[in-house]
Amino acid sequence: MPREIEFHFDFSSPYAYLASTRIDGVAAKHGCTVRWRPMLLGVLYKSTGYHPLEQREKRRYMLHDVARCARLYGVPFALPSSFPESLLAASRAVYWIADQDPAKLTGFVHAAFAAYWAEGRKLADPEIVAELAAREGFDKPAVLAALGDPVVKDRLRRETEAAIAAGVFGSPYMVVDGEAFWGNDRVEMLDRWLATGGW
Amino acid sequence: MPREIEFHFDFSSPYAYLASTRIDGVAAKHGCTVRWRPMLLGVLYKSTGYHPLEQREKRRYMLHDVARCARLYGVPFALPSSFPESLLAASRAVYWIADQDPAKLTGFVHAAFAAYWAEGRKLADPEIVAELAAREGFDKPAVLAALGDPVVKDRLRRETEAAIAAGVFGSPYMVVDGEAFWGNDRVEMLDRWLATGGW
């Protein structure tokens, strides 16, 4: 079994987007797989009683910083006018796709991140999510039906509760060999951890 | 005039300690000076209504992470049994020393950080602070008198208010050429910013 990088995230997290553009490279370098584990960051923040964007100065810094990091990495970035917002449908789709055809999941995740963070598309709209999934080879009506399925909805709720119970407190939150790395900032350290086996 | 790195911090911040062990090297590489700007993080957190250590999972992660970073950098680290606590006297001493003999300030700052974060000394005690300043060449009774001086006390309060007003929301918070870098994580990016002139 290849080692697995658990990647806990919410599509609405700009730092998760930044990390998502770099994590596949790190995983490939070390022969790891990435396990995409979306969650509802709003529910998580409610459980901790803390939301970073509620601090005016931190919010200002973060929005400036995300754009600065994107320029540094050379990845496209445009703050959506509707940010922040709940992006439930895309996260629900991730768990559904993982069950249907896991080989198509990474393509969908990157397409969904890019749609929201680079292409100005309304990712909150299930129609857009279904269209993105269709491009990966899924049947669009089937995806739309799944997104409205109580079982699929419940799955995301349960995954969110499990993440909170496991100690996840932000996005992205990456775990390898039981070692946690919080934030896009820590992709380099995760890379080093994988290369050295820890220290 | 050499470029200046403003280094906003509280001695009680473990990430400030970690960054303090690295910032002189970055400054020297680019011919910059470091301007040490202690503040009262407790006052700042009260003003923002947020204290990171109040989140149990984040606290657990941070304490694990600080030790992990220290091992990676090869810097001594031992979590003080009294952490977290207010370290007013050392911060008051910084502004006093900066006025008295700025050439001795960097030595004092590193000695104070090490006393608390590596040597298990009671930095909250003005006697210890005065002893550390005395080792840098100051008269110990004069330091003790200064630490109790209302003018010196007021200086730290005013500096804290100024930092909050300037948008500082955490520790360490570094500024160069008007560009802010928050966290020990960002020392490398600050280094790159200085090397390239920004991007």
Side-chain angles (χ1 to χ4, degrees), chain B:
Chain B
M1 279 275 289
R3 286 159 98 189
E4 189 175 72
I5 302 170
E6 281 183 62
F7 190 92
H8 297 271
F9 72 103
D10 189 312
F11 283 107
S12 71
S13 158
Y15 288 115
Y17 165 58
L18 292 175
S20 77
T21 67
R22 312 196 295 144
I23 198 68
D24 288 343
V26 171
K29 196 167 141 186
H30 303 290
C32 296
T33 56
V34 176
R35 186 165 166 219
W36 302 102
R37 302 194 64 178
M39 53 162 175
L40 298 170
L41 201 52
V43 172
L44 185 153
Y45 283 153
K46 205 167 174 182
S47 82
T48 60
Y50 167 65
H51 194 306
L53 294 175
E54 283 172 5
Q55 280 181 254
R56 194 187 52 184
E57 298 298 349
K58 189 179 273 186
R59 179 193 169 94
R60 189 164 69 177
Y61 174 86
M62 285 173 70
L63 296 182
H64 175 77
D65 181 59
V66 168
R68 172 173 71 180
C69 291
R71 291 196 306 274
L72 179 62
Y73 304 152
V75 303
F77 174 80
L79 187 72
S81 57
S82 50
F83 174 83
E85 68 191 308
S86 182
L87 299 171
L88 285 157
S91 290
R92 286 172 182 157
V94 165
Y95 289 109
W96 182 78
I97 291 172
D99 285 346
Q100 298 286 316
D101 190 347
K104 292 176 177 156
L105 185 54
T106 294
F108 171 79
V109 167
H110 290 303
F113 265 126
Y116 188 69
W117 287 108
E119 297 157 13
R121 304 203 69 192
K122 298 288 167 212
L123 193 66
D125 183 353
E127 281 284 339
I128 301 290
V129 171
E131 187 189 313
L132 294 171
R135 276 200 229 152
E136 301 299 319
F138 293 98
D139 178 55
K140 190 174 167 183
V143 179
L144 278 171
L147 294 179
D149 182 341
V151 174
V152 173
K153 290 179 174 183
D154 189 55
R155 173 73 184 276
L156 179 58
R157 270 193 295 270
R158 284 189 292 109
E159 294 284 353
T160 299
E161 284 161 17
I164 294 168
V168 175
F169 57 80
S171 167
Y173 186 99
M174 300 157 283
V175 183
V176 66
D177 302 338
E179 190 76 12
F181 299 87
W182 170 46
N184 168 63
D185 289 294
R186 293 308 181 87
V187 171
E188 288 80 2
M189 190 182 276
L190 169 60
D191 182 12
R192 191 158 175 165
W193 190 271
L194 285 164
T196 62
W199 57 85

Side-chain angles (χ1 to χ4, degrees), chain A residues 69-199:
Chain A
C69 290
R71 290 196 306 275
L72 179 61
Y73 305 151
V75 302
F77 174 80
L79 187 71
S81 58
S82 49
F83 174 82
E85 68 190 308
S86 182
L87 299 170
L88 285 158
S91 290
R92 287 173 182 157
V94 165
Y95 289 109
W96 182 78
I97 291 173
D99 285 345
Q100 298 286 317
D101 189 348
K104 292 176 178 158
L105 185 54
T106 293
F108 172 79
V109 167
H110 292 304
F113 266 127
Y116 188 69
W117 288 108
E119 296 155 14
R121 305 203 68 193
K122 299 289 168 211
L123 194 66
D125 182 352
E127 281 284 339
I128 301 290
V129 172
E131 186 189 315
L132 295 171
R135 275 200 232 153
E136 300 299 318
F138 292 97
D139 178 56
K140 190 174 167 183
V143 179
L144 277 171
L147 295 178
D149 183 341
V151 173
V152 172
K153 291 180 173 182
D154 189 54
R155 173 73 184 275
L156 179 59
R157 270 194 295 271
R158 285 188 291 110
E159 293 284 352
T160 298
E161 283 161 17
I164 294 169
V168 174
F169 57 81
S171 166
Y173 186 99
M174 299 157 284
V175 183
V176 66
D177 302 339
E179 190 74 13
F181 299 87
W182 170 47
N184 169 61
D185 289 294
R186 293 310 181 86
V187 171
E188 289 80 2
M189 189 181 276
L190 169 60
D191 183 11
R192 192 158 173 166
W193 190 271
L194 285 164
T196 62
W199 56 84

